[in-house]
Amino acid sequence: MSMKSSIALVGFMGTGKTSVGKALAARLNKEFIELDAMIEQKAGKSIPEIFRQDGEVHFRELEIEVTKAVAGRKNAVIACGGGLVLNKINTDRLSQECIIVYLAASPRTILKRTSADNGERPLLPGKLLETRELLKFRKPFYERAADIKVDTSKLDIASVVEQIIKKLKEHESFDC
Ligand code: S3P
């Protein structure tokens, strides 16, 4: 079995992929990579601008390109956008070098954590019912991609990091 040295964080918007990713990378002494930031850099504009001017399909194309570019990276913690798992090619590529960690959260928690969001996330549902619906649709995609799952609803960042590390140690193909 080949050993993996990187971690990819997937999960719905507001589940803490970026904040947990930064803390986890610091803790494990690995490079932190945020795919949304790479997409913005590549496009030369913000994510809301990409969605508005070029549409979601173009955004997903850029997401596939940046994922391909970083997929083989060793010793990295990669924070993925919430919809990355919708294209299986992305998780197939990431899983070559990464253990894929699914950060889950309840719809209420997601709504609470994203309430201060001011238009940075074009696909963010504003209401509980819509959040439930989109989460229900996406859940099988996250579950299918995941090697490890952590429910973050009742945990702070440090506790999520500890949970991930504990589960990584149990994972036979991760090189800690
Ligand atoms: C998206 C989530 C966003 C970003 C884009 C689309 C999604 O990332 O990639 O707005 O489809 O769920 P975050 O999950 O980091 O907010």
Side-chain angles (χ1 to χ4, degrees):
M1 184 187 296
S2 68
M3 298 299 275
K4 300 173 180 183
S5 63
S6 293
I7 297 146
L9 298 173
V10 302
F12 205 80
M13 296 167 264
T15 52
K17 301 179 297 287
T18 301
S19 38
V20 168
K22 282 181 185 161
L24 184 66
R27 171 73 195 273
L28 295 177
N29 202 16
K30 294 184 187 285
E31 179 192 7
F32 176 70
I33 298 171
E34 176 158 48
L35 292 185
D36 281 347
M38 283 183 71
I39 292 170
E40 290 184 321
Q41 211 172 10
K42 195 175 173 78
K45 49 184 144 181
S46 71
I47 286 175
E49 281 171 333
I50 302 172
F51 271 77
R52 215 170 34 241
Q53 295 169 11
D54 314 308
E56 182 176 351
V57 171
H58 184 65
F59 173 81
R60 297 294 171 209
E61 284 166 0
L62 293 172
E63 191 170 52
I64 288 171
E65 284 174 30
V66 299
T67 304
K68 187 178 180 188
V70 301
R73 205 76 72 88
K74 294 194 192 315
N75 278 307
V77 174
I78 304 170
C80 303
L84 171 138
V85 296
L86 300 172
N87 287 303
K88 187 170 178 288
I89 183 120
N90 291 330
T91 46
D92 283 350
R93 284 184 171 138
L94 286 171
S95 64
Q96 289 167 19
E97 190 55 45
C98 299
I99 298 286
I100 299 183
V101 177
Y102 166 29
L103 299 185
S106 70
R108 275 185 202 284
T109 306
I110 288 167
L111 215 59
K112 207 161 69 193
R113 288 191 189 149
T114 54
S115 62
D117 188 289
N118 37 24
E120 297 141 46
R121 294 177 169 109
L123 298 182
L124 184 71
K127 299 206 170 67
L128 191 58
L129 199 67
E130 299 160 7
T131 308
R132 274 203 191 113
E133 284 299 308
L134 188 57
L135 197 57
K136 192 171 149 199
F137 173 78
R138 287 197 174 171
K139 201 173 165 196
F141 291 89
Y142 298 126
E143 301 271 0
R144 180 190 64 188
D147 297 302
I148 288 172
K149 177 178 171 180
V150 175
D151 189 338
T152 68
S153 298
K154 297 193 171 70
L155 303 177
D156 61 12
I157 293 169
S159 312
V160 177
V161 168
E162 289 319 310
Q163 284 275 319
I164 295 173
I165 290 174
K166 183 168 163 270
K167 293 190 179 190
L168 284 171
K169 283 184 179 154
E170 291 162 10
H171 211 282
E172 52 196 6
S173 57
F174 188 70
D175 191 4
C176 272

